[in-house]
Amino acid sequence: MTSDILTSVENRVLTITFNRTDKKNAITAAMYAAMADAMADANDNDAIRAIMFTANGDAFTAGNDLIDFRDNPPLTDDAPVSRFLRELVVAKKPLIAAVNGIAVGVGFTMLLHCDIVYLSEAAQLQAPFVDLALVPEAASSLLLPARIGHAQAAEIFMLGKRVNAEDAKTIGVASDVFAPDALLVAATKAAVALSKKAPAALQATKRLMRGDKDVISARMVEESKLFGQQLLSPELGEAVMAFMQKREPNFG
Ligand code: COA
C-alpha cells in the first residue's frame, strides 16, 4: 500500500489521484502497482462505470521516477509499470483525465489511452524520451503519430518539445481546456455523465473507437524491449546523472 496514490469511488466513478506532490507526482513502482490493481478491480466490477485520473499539487505527473528507474529497472513483463500500461489497453470502462499541471513522459502517453482528456490552462505536455536516452512507451510511438501526424509527433518525441494546453487541444490530444479551478468540476461532471450511460453501448463504443488491441499490445512489447535495452545503457546513466546534478547531459 502507498499513500502516493489515492483511490476513491463515488457515483460509480473510480478516481485515481497522484499524491506525491513533493516529487511532482513522479511515479514509483509502488504507485504503478497501486494503479494497476485499482484498474484491474474496476475492469471486472459492474459497480464501476468510469475511471478518472487526477492529481494533487501543481503537477499532473513528472512521469517515471528517474531514480527508481535507474536503481530498479523494470525489465520483466510483470513489472508494475508494464501491468499498468496493459490495464490502460484492456480497460473496458471509459477513462477520463483531469490534467492540472505538467504531464511528462508516461503522464503524457497515458493520455493517449484516455477517452476524455481535460486540461487546465496551466497544463503542459512533454515526452522527452530521447533526451533521457529512452524510447517512447505505452504504444505512443504508434498512437501519437496516428493521432497528430509524424511531423508534429517527431517534434514532441525527438526534440522533446513541450505542448501547452491550447495547442494540445488544437492537435487533438486533449478534448477541452478549463480554468484551473473549473477543471475538476468539469472532469467529474463528464465522468458522472458517462457513469449513467448504457454500459454495454458505452463499452462497445470505446472498443470500436480504440482500434485493434492486439496491434497496440504488440507495439508495447516492441517498445518495452528497446526501452529495457536503453535502461541498461551508459546513455541512460548519463541522462539520470545529469538530471540529479541539474545540468545538461553530455552524450559525447
Ligand atoms: N523522477 C524523480 N524525481 C523527480 C522527477 C522524476 N521524474 N521529477 C521531479 N522530481 C523531483 C525533483 O528531483 C525534485 O526533488 P528535490 O526537491 O528532492 O530536488 C522535486 O521532484 C521537484 O522537482 P523540480 O525539478 O525541482 O521542479 P520544477 O518545477 O523545477 O520542474 C519538472 C518540474 C517536472 C519540469 C522537472 O522536475 C522535470 O523535468 N522532471 C523530470 C521529468 C522527466 O524527465 N520524467 C521522465 C519521463 S520518461
Side-chain angles (χ1 to χ4, degrees), residues 52-55 60 96-101 116-120 183-184 187:
M52 180 166 80
F53 293 99
T54 185
F60 182 63
I96 300 103
V99 181
N100 51 311
I116 305 281
V117 178
Y118 284 168
L119 304 186
S120 139
L183 174 71
L184 203 54

Side-chain angles (χ1 to χ4, degrees), residues 174-196:
S175 318
D176 214 340
V177 179
F178 296 88
D181 59 1
L183 174 71
L184 203 54
V185 176
T188 304
K189 198 170 152 198
V192 173
L194 289 171
S195 77
K196 293 180 180 161

Side-chain angles (χ1 to χ4, degrees), residues 66-84:
L66 290 171
I67 292 140
D68 211 32
F69 243 5
R70 185 200 53 188
D71 296 346
N72 306 296
L75 299 172
T76 56
D77 259 5
D78 59 352
V81 58
S82 310
R83 284 177 46 219
F84 170 66

Side-chain angles (χ1 to χ4, degrees), residues 220-242:
M220 267 189 190
V221 169
E222 201 181 336
E223 287 171 345
S224 49
K225 204 170 145 205
L226 294 165
F227 202 98
Q229 281 171 17
Q230 284 303 116
L231 275 179
L232 300 176
S233 72
E235 290 181 349
L236 185 279
E238 165 58 12
V240 174
M241 187 66 77

Side-chain angles (χ1 to χ4, degrees), residues 150-161:
H150 181 93
Q152 302 270 339
E155 281 195 314
I156 290 168
F157 283 146
M158 295 183 182
L159 285 177
K161 178 184 168 183

Side-chain angles (χ1 to χ4, degrees), residues 20-27 32 58-59 61-69 102-107 126-129 131-132 134-135 137 162 227 243-244 246:
R20 192 179 177 222
T21 54
D22 58 327
K23 297 289 181 190
K24 302 284 171 190
N25 294 322
I27 312 172
Y32 282 121
D58 62 359
T61 167
N64 292 287
D65 184 294
L66 290 171
I67 292 140
D68 211 32
F69 243 5
I102 192 155
V104 190
V106 70
Q126 196 183 11
F129 294 108
D131 289 336
L132 291 162
L134 290 168
V135 298
E137 33 66 326
R162 267 193 200 187
F227 202 98
F243 174 72
M244 288 167 70
K246 300 189 189 293

